[in-house]
Amino acid sequence: MFKSRTLRDCLGRTGCSTGRFEEARDYAQQRIQFGKPLASFQLIQRKLALMATEITNAQLLAWRLAQLKDSGLATHVQISMAKRNNVAMALQVARTAREILGGVGILDEHVVFRHMCNLESVYTYEGTDDMHLLILGEHLTGTGAFE
């Protein structure tokens, strides 16, 4: 579909996040607490709704960036923004999914904790959140904060 490696990187984060969302949703639907599924509680539904919204936003950002990149119009600033946003989103989704799973969220039988730990390294090797923000800040202000 798209040629862009950047898109694959960004969508990779959203794909992993979709998996963690589904894991948390399925667990919440099956886990009975106080005589009813965990998914029937307002705060769990709120968390799932926020996760789904952020995943969709990240997918749309990656899709638009791929269009720009494939047409030769993407800038390094846009790429930094997308990478930073999608890694931050994936990490937040993993953390929220782990919250929904409660204590079992750190066990090997669930992927969410391993995914969360892997994202901590992605947060670093993608250029770090701070570097992406400095690139964006320089673009917005016209003044470089690092030299």
Coordinates of all heavy atoms in Angstrom, one line a residue, residues 7-60:
L7 N 5.9 5.0 7.8 CA 4.5 4.6 8.1 C 4.5 3.2 8.8 O 3.8 3.0 9.7 CB 3.7 4.5 6.8 CG 2.4 3.9 6.9 CD1 1.4 4.8 7.7 CD2 1.8 3.5 5.6
R8 N 5.4 2.3 8.3 CA 5.4 1.0 8.9 C 5.8 1.1 10.4 O 5.3 0.4 11.2 CB 6.4 0.1 8.2 CG 5.9 -0.4 6.8 CD 6.7 -1.5 6.2 NE 8.1 -1.2 6.1 CZ 8.7 -0.5 5.0 NH1 7.9 -0.2 4.0 NH2 10.0 -0.3 5.0
D9 N 6.8 2.0 10.7 CA 7.2 2.2 12.1 C 6.0 2.7 12.9 O 5.7 2.2 14.0 CB 8.3 3.2 12.2 CG 9.7 2.7 11.6 OD1 9.8 1.5 11.4 OD2 10.6 3.5 11.5
C10 N 5.4 3.8 12.4 CA 4.3 4.4 13.1 C 3.1 3.4 13.3 O 2.5 3.3 14.3 CB 3.8 5.7 12.5 SG 5.0 7.0 12.6
L11 N 2.7 2.7 12.2 CA 1.6 1.8 12.2 C 2.0 0.6 13.1 O 1.1 0.0 13.7 CB 1.2 1.4 10.8 CG 0.4 2.4 10.1 CD1 0.0 1.8 8.7 CD2 -0.9 2.8 10.8
G12 N 3.3 0.2 13.1 CA 3.7 -0.8 14.0 C 3.3 -0.6 15.5 O 2.8 -1.4 16.2
R13 N 3.5 0.7 15.9 CA 3.1 1.1 17.2 C 1.6 1.0 17.4 O 1.1 0.6 18.4 CB 3.5 2.5 17.6 CG 4.9 2.9 17.3 CD 6.0 2.0 18.1 NE 7.3 2.3 17.5 CZ 7.9 1.6 16.7 NH1 7.4 0.4 16.3 NH2 9.1 1.9 16.2
T14 N 0.8 1.4 16.4 CA -0.6 1.4 16.5 C -1.2 -0.1 16.4 O -2.1 -0.4 17.1 CB -1.3 2.2 15.4 OG1 -1.0 1.7 14.1 CG2 -0.9 3.7 15.5
G15 N -0.5 -0.9 15.7 CA -0.9 -2.3 15.6 C -0.7 -3.0 16.9 O -1.6 -3.8 17.4
C16 N 0.5 -2.8 17.6 CA 0.7 -3.3 18.9 C -0.3 -2.8 19.9 O -0.8 -3.5 20.8 CB 2.1 -3.0 19.4 SG 3.4 -3.8 18.4
S17 N -0.6 -1.5 19.8 CA -1.6 -0.9 20.7 C -3.0 -1.5 20.5 O -3.7 -1.7 21.5 CB -1.6 0.6 20.5 OG -0.4 1.1 20.8
T18 N -3.3 -1.8 19.3 CA -4.6 -2.4 19.0 C -4.7 -3.8 19.7 O -5.7 -4.1 20.3 CB -4.9 -2.5 17.5 OG1 -4.9 -1.2 16.9 CG2 -6.2 -3.2 17.2
G19 N -3.6 -4.5 19.6 CA -3.5 -5.8 20.3 C -3.7 -5.7 21.8 O -4.4 -6.5 22.5
R20 N -3.1 -4.7 22.4 CA -3.2 -4.5 23.9 C -4.6 -4.0 24.2 O -5.1 -4.4 25.3 CB -2.1 -3.5 24.4 CG -0.7 -3.8 24.2 CD -0.2 -5.2 24.7 NE -0.9 -6.4 24.2 CZ -0.7 -7.0 23.0 NH1 0.2 -6.6 22.2 NH2 -1.3 -8.1 22.7
F21 N -5.2 -3.2 23.4 CA -6.6 -2.7 23.6 C -7.5 -4.0 23.6 O -8.3 -4.1 24.5 CB -7.0 -1.7 22.5 CG -8.5 -1.5 22.5 CD1 -9.1 -0.6 23.4 CD2 -9.3 -2.2 21.6 CE1 -10.4 -0.5 23.4 CE2 -10.7 -2.0 21.6 CZ -11.2 -1.1 22.5
E22 N -7.3 -4.8 22.6 CA -8.2 -6.0 22.5 C -8.0 -6.9 23.7 O -8.9 -7.5 24.2 CB -7.9 -6.7 21.2 CG -8.4 -5.9 20.0 CD -8.0 -6.5 18.7 OE1 -7.2 -7.4 18.6 OE2 -8.4 -5.9 17.6
E23 N -6.7 -7.1 24.1 CA -6.4 -7.9 25.3 C -7.1 -7.4 26.5 O -7.8 -8.1 27.3 CB -4.9 -8.0 25.5 CG -4.5 -8.8 26.6 CD -3.0 -8.9 26.8 OE1 -2.2 -8.0 26.3 OE2 -2.5 -9.9 27.5
A24 N -7.1 -6.1 26.7 CA -7.7 -5.5 27.9 C -9.2 -5.6 27.8 O -9.9 -5.9 28.8 CB -7.2 -4.0 28.0
R25 N -9.8 -5.3 26.6 CA -11.2 -5.4 26.5 C -11.7 -6.8 26.7 O -12.7 -7.0 27.4 CB -11.6 -4.9 25.0 CG -13.1 -4.8 24.8 CD -13.5 -4.8 23.4 NE -12.9 -6.0 22.7 CZ -12.5 -6.0 21.4 NH1 -12.7 -5.0 20.7 NH2 -12.0 -7.1 20.9
D26 N -11.0 -7.7 26.1 CA -11.5 -9.1 26.2 C -11.4 -9.6 27.7 O -12.3 -10.2 28.2 CB -10.6 -10.1 25.4 CG -10.8 -9.8 23.9 OD1 -11.8 -9.1 23.5 OD2 -10.0 -10.4 23.1
Y27 N -10.3 -9.2 28.4 CA -10.2 -9.5 29.8 C -11.3 -8.9 30.6 O -12.0 -9.6 31.4 CB -8.8 -9.1 30.3 CG -8.7 -9.3 31.8 CD1 -8.2 -10.6 32.3 CD2 -8.9 -8.3 32.7 CE1 -8.1 -10.8 33.6 CE2 -8.8 -8.5 34.1 CZ -8.4 -9.8 34.5 OH -8.2 -10.0 35.9
A28 N -11.6 -7.6 30.3 CA -12.6 -6.9 31.1 C -14.0 -7.5 30.8 O -14.9 -7.5 31.7 CB -12.6 -5.4 30.7
Q29 N -14.2 -8.0 29.6 CA -15.5 -8.7 29.3 C -15.7 -10.0 30.0 O -16.8 -10.4 30.4 CB -15.7 -8.8 27.8 CG -15.9 -7.5 27.1 CD -15.9 -7.7 25.6 OE1 -15.2 -8.5 25.0 NE2 -16.7 -6.8 24.9
Q30 N -14.6 -10.7 30.3 CA -14.6 -12.0 30.8 C -14.5 -12.0 32.4 O -15.0 -12.9 33.0 CB -13.5 -12.9 30.2 CG -13.7 -13.2 28.8 CD -12.5 -13.7 28.1 OE1 -11.5 -14.1 28.7 NE2 -12.5 -13.9 26.8
R31 N -13.8 -11.0 32.9 CA -13.5 -11.0 34.3 C -14.7 -10.5 35.1 O -15.2 -9.4 34.8 CB -12.3 -10.0 34.6 CG -12.0 -9.8 36.1 CD -11.2 -11.0 36.7 NE -10.6 -10.6 37.9 CZ -11.1 -10.9 39.1 NH1 -12.2 -11.7 39.2 NH2 -10.5 -10.6 40.2
I32 N -15.2 -11.4 36.0 CA -16.4 -11.0 36.8 C -15.9 -10.4 38.1 O -15.1 -11.0 38.8 CB -17.2 -12.3 37.1 CG1 -17.7 -13.0 35.7 CG2 -18.5 -11.9 37.9 CD1 -18.4 -12.1 34.8
Q33 N -16.4 -9.3 38.4 CA -16.1 -8.6 39.7 C -17.4 -8.1 40.3 O -18.2 -7.4 39.6 CB -15.2 -7.4 39.4 CG -14.6 -6.7 40.6 CD -13.6 -7.6 41.3 OE1 -12.8 -8.4 40.6 NE2 -13.5 -7.5 42.6
F34 N -17.7 -8.4 41.5 CA -18.9 -8.0 42.2 C -20.2 -8.5 41.4 O -21.2 -7.8 41.3 CB -19.0 -6.5 42.4 CG -17.8 -5.9 43.1 CD1 -16.9 -5.1 42.5 CD2 -17.6 -6.2 44.5 CE1 -15.8 -4.6 43.2 CE2 -16.5 -5.7 45.2 CZ -15.6 -4.9 44.5
G35 N -20.0 -9.7 40.8 CA -21.2 -10.3 40.2 C -21.5 -9.9 38.8 O -22.5 -10.3 38.2
K36 N -20.6 -9.0 38.2 CA -20.8 -8.6 36.8 C -19.5 -8.4 36.1 O -18.4 -8.2 36.8 CB -21.7 -7.4 36.7 CG -21.2 -6.2 37.5 CD -22.2 -5.0 37.4 CE -21.7 -3.8 38.1 NZ -22.6 -2.7 38.0
P37 N -19.5 -8.4 34.8 CA -18.2 -8.2 34.0 C -17.5 -6.9 34.4 O -18.2 -5.8 34.5 CB -18.6 -8.2 32.6 CG -19.9 -8.9 32.5 CD -20.6 -8.5 33.9
L38 N -16.2 -6.9 34.5 CA -15.5 -5.7 34.7 C -15.8 -4.6 33.7 O -15.8 -3.4 34.0 CB -14.0 -6.0 34.7 CG -13.0 -5.1 35.3 CD1 -13.3 -4.8 36.8 CD2 -11.6 -5.7 35.2
A39 N -16.0 -5.1 32.5 CA -16.3 -4.1 31.4 C -17.6 -3.3 31.6 O -17.8 -2.3 30.9 CB -16.4 -4.9 30.0
S40 N -18.4 -3.7 32.5 CA -19.7 -3.0 32.8 C -19.5 -1.8 33.7 O -20.4 -1.0 33.8 CB -20.7 -4.0 33.4 OG -20.4 -4.3 34.7
F41 N -18.3 -1.6 34.2 CA -18.0 -0.5 35.1 C -17.7 0.8 34.3 O -16.9 0.7 33.3 CB -16.9 -0.8 36.1 CG -17.4 -1.8 37.1 CD1 -17.1 -3.2 36.9 CD2 -18.1 -1.5 38.2 CE1 -17.5 -4.1 37.8 CE2 -18.5 -2.4 39.2 CZ -18.2 -3.8 38.9
Q42 N -18.1 1.9 34.7 CA -17.9 3.1 34.0 C -16.5 3.5 33.7 O -16.1 3.9 32.6 CB -18.6 4.3 34.7 CG -20.1 4.2 34.7 CD -20.8 5.3 35.5 OE1 -20.1 6.0 36.3 NE2 -22.1 5.5 35.4
L43 N -15.6 3.3 34.8 CA -14.2 3.7 34.6 C -13.5 2.8 33.6 O -12.6 3.3 32.9 CB -13.5 3.8 36.0 CG -14.0 4.9 36.9 CD1 -13.3 4.8 38.2 CD2 -13.7 6.2 36.3
I44 N -13.9 1.6 33.6 CA -13.3 0.6 32.6 C -13.7 1.0 31.2 O -12.9 1.1 30.3 CB -13.6 -0.8 32.9 CG1 -13.1 -1.3 34.3 CG2 -13.1 -1.7 31.8 CD1 -11.6 -1.2 34.4
Q45 N -15.0 1.3 31.0 CA -15.5 1.8 29.7 C -14.8 3.1 29.3 O -14.4 3.2 28.1 CB -17.0 1.9 29.7 CG -17.7 0.6 29.8 CD -19.2 0.7 29.8 OE1 -19.8 1.8 29.5 NE2 -19.9 -0.4 29.9
R46 N -14.6 4.0 30.2 CA -13.9 5.2 29.9 C -12.5 5.0 29.4 O -12.1 5.5 28.4 CB -13.9 6.1 31.2 CG -13.2 7.4 31.0 CD -13.1 8.3 32.3 NE -12.6 9.6 32.0 CZ -11.3 9.8 32.0 NH1 -10.4 8.9 32.1 NH2 -10.9 11.1 31.7
K47 N -11.8 4.1 30.2 CA -10.4 3.8 29.8 C -10.4 3.2 28.4 O -9.5 3.5 27.5 CB -9.8 2.8 30.8 CG -9.4 3.5 32.1 CD -8.8 2.6 33.1 CE -8.6 3.3 34.4 NZ -7.8 2.6 35.3
L48 N -11.3 2.2 28.1 CA -11.3 1.6 26.8 C -11.6 2.6 25.7 O -11.0 2.6 24.6 CB -12.3 0.5 26.8 CG -11.9 -0.8 27.6 CD1 -13.1 -1.7 27.7 CD2 -10.7 -1.5 27.0
A49 N -12.6 3.5 26.0 CA -12.9 4.5 25.0 C -11.8 5.5 24.7 O -11.5 5.8 23.5 CB -14.2 5.3 25.5
L50 N -11.1 5.9 25.7 CA -9.9 6.8 25.5 C -8.8 6.0 24.7 O -8.2 6.6 23.9 CB -9.4 7.2 26.9 CG -10.2 8.3 27.6 CD1 -9.7 8.5 29.0 CD2 -10.3 9.6 26.8
M51 N -8.6 4.8 25.1 CA -7.6 4.0 24.3 C -7.9 3.9 22.8 O -7.1 4.1 22.0 CB -7.5 2.6 24.9 CG -6.8 2.5 26.3 SD -7.1 0.9 27.1 CE -6.1 -0.2 26.1
A52 N -9.2 3.6 22.5 CA -9.6 3.4 21.1 C -9.5 4.8 20.4 O -9.1 4.8 19.2 CB -11.1 2.9 21.1
T53 N -9.8 5.9 21.1 CA -9.7 7.2 20.4 C -8.2 7.5 20.1 O -7.9 8.0 19.0 CB -10.3 8.3 21.4 OG1 -11.7 7.9 21.6 CG2 -10.2 9.6 20.7
E54 N -7.3 7.3 21.1 CA -5.9 7.6 20.8 C -5.3 6.7 19.7 O -4.5 7.2 18.9 CB -5.1 7.5 22.1 CG -5.5 8.6 23.1 CD -5.4 10.0 22.5 OE1 -4.4 10.3 21.8 OE2 -6.3 10.8 22.8
I55 N -5.7 5.4 19.7 CA -5.2 4.5 18.7 C -5.7 5.0 17.3 O -4.9 5.1 16.3 CB -5.7 3.1 18.9 CG1 -5.0 2.5 20.1 CG2 -5.4 2.2 17.7 CD1 -5.6 1.2 20.6
T56 N -7.0 5.4 17.2 CA -7.5 5.9 15.9 C -6.8 7.2 15.5 O -6.4 7.4 14.3 CB -9.0 6.2 16.0 OG1 -9.6 4.9 16.4 CG2 -9.6 6.7 14.7
N57 N -6.5 8.1 16.4 CA -5.8 9.4 16.1 C -4.4 9.0 15.6 O -3.9 9.6 14.6 CB -5.7 10.2 17.4 CG -6.9 10.9 17.7 OD1 -7.8 11.1 16.9 ND2 -7.0 11.4 19.0
A58 N -3.7 8.1 16.2 CA -2.4 7.7 15.8 C -2.4 7.1 14.4 O -1.5 7.3 13.6 CB -1.7 6.7 16.8
Q59 N -3.4 6.2 14.1 CA -3.5 5.6 12.8 C -3.7 6.7 11.7 O -3.1 6.6 10.6 CB -4.7 4.6 12.8 CG -4.4 3.4 13.6 CD -5.7 2.5 13.8 OE1 -6.8 3.1 13.8 NE2 -5.5 1.2 13.9
L60 N -4.6 7.7 12.0 CA -4.8 8.7 11.1 C -3.6 9.6 10.8 O -3.3 10.0 9.7 CB -6.0 9.6 11.5 CG -7.4 8.9 11.5 CD1 -8.4 9.8 12.2 CD2 -7.8 8.7 10.0

